[in-house]
Amino acid sequence: TFVPKEIKNYEEKIIFELNGLTRREILLKGSGTEMRIELVDAPKQRILDLGTLQLVGGQQQQLKQQTNKKLQIVNKSQIEIDFNLLFEPKSEYLNKDKSQLQLILNTNNNKNNLNVISLKPNQIYELLVKFSPKMRIPKFIEELKVEYSGTQIPLCSIQGK
């Protein structure tokens, strides 16, 4: 497996010697390319605002509303990339019940039904963010990251209340 360490062209000669008599030279070429996963509309979606949902039910203060927002992610690299989305809320209210804020993955691009997403160059992946709190929660800002080749890169912030 070729795993380049830098963004540049590579060339290597490998010499095979057979029985000490015959030598064969093979030239291997490859190039390191930048891996870029971005939002399609980065300036507008850098902070995804889920808004404020209103209380319903008077004294019991139960929320029955929900909001759905779509994020579009694009592969701006020259090669196909396999990556994961990382979302680990720090808000104790969101951690109590993870169903309050969900990332719903489009499984058409997922490999082996895992959370590994595979995108070809310039291919777009649509992610649904569903916010359906069950009670009033304080304002939160959480970070969504992309992980590929062992590197985590912030994609956007998700906020709501």
Side-chain angles (χ1 to χ4, degrees), residues 42-109:
K44 289 184 181 176
Q45 292 187 323
R46 185 63 59 201
I47 297 177
L48 183 65
D49 189 1
L50 301 173
T52 303
L53 298 185
Q54 300 301 315
L55 281 175
V56 177
Q59 292 284 345
Q60 295 172 352
Q61 294 190 352
Q62 292 183 353
L63 288 171
K64 299 288 185 191
Q65 292 184 328
Q66 78 175 28
T67 185
N68 297 318
K69 300 276 180 148
K70 290 181 182 177
L71 280 176
Q72 289 186 314
I73 301 167
V74 64
N75 176 4
K76 290 289 191 176
S77 302
Q78 296 174 353
I79 60 170
E80 184 173 340
I81 296 180
D82 295 338
F83 64 95
N84 295 311
L85 291 172
L86 301 177
F87 184 69
E88 299 162 357
K90 293 178 179 36
S91 163
E92 69 178 271
Y93 296 96
L94 295 176
N95 274 323
K96 279 182 189 176
D97 183 355
K98 299 205 187 268
S99 70
Q100 296 184 99
L101 183 59
Q102 298 175 323
L103 301 181
I104 300 172
L105 302 177
N106 174 354
T107 57
N108 292 342
N109 296 82

Side-chain angles (χ1 to χ4, degrees), residues 1-2 21 39 63 81 94 130 132 149:
T1 303
F2 175 62
L21 301 172
L39 295 170
L63 288 171
I81 296 180
L94 295 176
K130 180 180 172 184
S132 55
S149 296

Side-chain angles (χ1 to χ4, degrees), residues 80 104-114 116-120 123-126:
E80 184 173 340
I104 300 172
L105 302 177
N106 174 354
T107 57
N108 292 342
N109 296 82
N110 294 25
K111 286 196 167 184
N112 302 325
N113 293 328
L114 299 173
V116 177
I117 301 165
S118 183
L119 287 184
K120 294 182 170 108
Q123 186 178 6
I124 294 174
Y125 182 85
E126 199 164 272

